Amino acid sequence: MGQGLENVRKIYLEGIAGGDARRAVEQYTGHRYTQHSTGVPDGAEGFLAFFEPFLERNPEREISVVRLFEDGPWVFCSAYQSLNGGDAKWVTTDMFYCGSDGLILEHWDTIAAYVEVTDTKSGNDMVGGPSTVDETADTATTKALVLEYTKQVLQEGDATKLDHFVAADLIERGAVIGAGREGLADWIGSDDFGSYEFLFNLIGQGDFAMTFGKRHVRGKDVAVFDIYRVSGGQIVEHWMNEEEIGPRENWGNSGKF
């Protein structure tokens, strides 16, 4: 387990869940902290300008890190947040770039409302499923499969190739996508999918891989994290968290990417 991964865990659990934002950002970030969460300015002071009022507004914070894995200097983290006794529930997906000392230097994210399992299209919980990486699985193989799937199916919008990459009994956890490979095919062919315009990054560890990219949906740009679990040469489980990218004039930094 790398120091970067541990620092990401700690900035979440100590700084946000634990409420000690100043100590966490000063201890776990490096000589710069470049921010891509568009409502948050760059730097440690930008982090505090956002999170200190957040902590005051939300004195009750149930925050759990659901999935966490690393790929060299890159760390992926997904968390579930229930605030003020469940008045607000969120799913956050975050990507971090860390320096050689493990200190966090850059951050990207998407934040979406948690959809109760009774309301997901597949009937599956959007944060459920395995959380532990199978480190016996070959990371390079996992990443190569996900890359080709992203290129040949998502970017080309060609659901006819799904059977090459995705198990028929896929466990689908994207809240707006139906169950199984058939549900995924229906979604890719719909206006709700739009077009997958570019892939920004792909990282993986063991049987897990994550992509961060941009879709264009009904005239709007959407930043999207897709998380995949691979087994037996196919994608067997899929999570998705997406966020509409707001107008440039509302950004507090250089933007989502």
Side-chain angles (χ1 to χ4, degrees), residues 123-232:
N124 294 320
D125 189 274
M126 66 184 293
V127 296
S131 58
T132 303
V133 171
D134 177 5
E135 297 194 48
T136 67
D138 184 68
T139 299
T141 301
T142 297
K143 290 170 65 175
L145 176 73
V146 168
L147 178 60
E148 288 306 312
Y149 165 77
T150 302
K151 290 177 357 185
Q152 295 185 38
V153 176
L154 299 185
Q155 290 185 317
E156 295 177 10
D158 187 357
T160 66
K161 296 180 180 177
L162 273 174
D163 60 341
H164 296 299
F165 301 100
V166 177
D169 58 351
L170 168 75
I171 302 170
E172 179 55 65
R173 298 189 181 278
V176 298
I177 307 174
R181 188 167 66 198
E182 184 176 342
L184 181 59
D186 289 344
W187 179 71
I188 291 171
S190 73
D191 290 341
D192 291 331
F193 173 77
S195 60
Y196 197 106
E197 293 195 334
F198 72 83
L199 171 64
F200 180 75
N201 201 8
L202 162 65
I203 70 172
Q205 183 181 11
D207 58 338
F208 277 91
M210 172 233 81
T211 60
F212 182 44
K214 180 166 77 75
R215 299 204 331 270
H216 191 71
V217 184
R218 301 180 187 275
K220 297 177 180 179
D221 289 330
V222 175
V224 57
F225 281 94
D226 290 284
I227 305 96
Y228 304 94
R229 183 170 65 86
V230 171
S231 179

Side-chain angles (χ1 to χ4, degrees), residues 5 69-76 96 139 143 202-205:
L5 185 145
F69 58 85
E70 60 188 336
D71 187 350
W74 299 94
V75 177
F76 170 76
F96 299 84
T139 299
K143 290 170 65 175
L202 162 65
I203 70 172
Q205 183 181 11

Side-chain angles (χ1 to χ4, degrees), residues 11 21-35 40-52 104-105:
I11 203 169
R22 181 170 293 277
R23 176 182 174 276
V25 76
E26 289 176 351
Q27 184 163 350
Y28 304 127
T29 64
H31 66 278
R32 67 176 175 91
Y33 187 37
T34 304
Q35 183 62 256
V40 185
D42 287 332
E45 290 305 316
F47 179 92
L48 293 170
F50 179 85
F51 276 107
E52 287 182 337
I104 300 166
L105 299 178

